[in-house]
Amino acid sequence: VDEIERLWPVAAQPTYVLSNHDVPRHRSRFDDPVHGAAHARLAALMLLTLRGTPFLYYGEEIGMLDGMIPTERVCDPVGKRFPAVGRDPERTPMQWDAGHMAGFTTAADAWLPIAPDFESVNVARQATDPRSVLSFYRRIIWYRKQSAALRRGNYRPLDGPPDTFIFLRQHEGERRLVALNFAAEQRTVPLPAPGHIVLSTDCERQPGPVTDVFELGPSEGVIGALD
């Protein structure tokens, strides 16, 4: 990110994408069975707080994984020639609910099979769950809309402990610190100024004041409003 920022001309900004229709979904690339939902929220926080234009690929907002495509169901021309690089797994139908065909169609079948986790990973199930990936996406998108620093602010990277990514967004006196911990262990994060935590990927963390340092949990990301 720092190198990208140095290369951009004045008044330009980058675009950021976690997944798209040509590569495996980011959860399938980077997740592990223990921290899957936490990693999905952490990735969302990074995507929606960096300086630039974020793009969401359908299904990211509920944490969809790549589907499983039997050989006889492969549609992608590339996948038919080179099965190891087929793009069908990231193109399975959107998972709306736990009903027939995940609520995507009333037809007997779709062009690709529904991903096997659709009964637990779907919009209907997550829409009323305040701890879900979908609920977190809603919170961070709403917060971004209200924050001039996150929408229009400049970007300044800050030093931090190993496996963390920490940066500052600032616009006309509004300062927002973003601290992301990609480690499976807790990290102690120094602060450039006192402030308070306003949003965390950890549903158990309550908003509150912080001074010179604070503890960032495993696979946790936070936004802090600095004084």
Side-chain angles (χ1 to χ4, degrees), residues 22 27 35 81 180:
D22 284 331
R27 286 200 65 186
H35 301 101
R81 294 183 62 192
L180 309 166

Side-chain angles (χ1 to χ4, degrees), residues 61-62 94-98 101-105 121-125:
E61 70 274 32
I62 59 172
M94 179 66 182
Q95 296 160 204
W96 293 104
D97 58 39
M101 297 303 293
F104 182 81
T105 180
V121 180
N122 63 69
V123 174
R125 179 166 183 165

Side-chain angles (χ1 to χ4, degrees), residues 68-76 80 88 109 111-113:
M68 300 175 62
I69 313 299
T71 302
E72 67 274 11
R73 295 291 303 273
V74 172
C75 294
D76 179 22
K80 290 180 177 180
D88 286 334
D109 203 355
W111 79 100
L112 287 171

Side-chain angles (χ1 to χ4, degrees), residues 21 23-25 28 57-58 64-95 101 109-117:
H21 67 289
V23 297
R25 292 178 177 274
S28 293
Y57 185 53
Y58 81 92
M64 278 180 62
L65 294 162
D66 287 354
M68 300 175 62
I69 313 299
T71 302
E72 67 274 11
R73 295 291 303 273
V74 172
C75 294
D76 179 22
V78 174
K80 290 180 177 180
R81 294 183 62 192
F82 309 103
V85 294
R87 299 168 296 180
D88 286 334
E90 60 265 25
R91 300 177 178 184
T92 57
M94 179 66 182
Q95 296 160 204
M101 297 303 293
D109 203 355
W111 79 100
L112 287 171
I114 303 295
D117 63 355

Side-chain angles (χ1 to χ4, degrees), residues 175-190:
R175 296 196 296 169
R176 295 294 181 265
L177 177 83
V178 179
L180 309 166
N181 179 18
F182 294 93
E185 300 82 26
Q186 183 173 281
R187 293 288 188 257
T188 300
V189 176

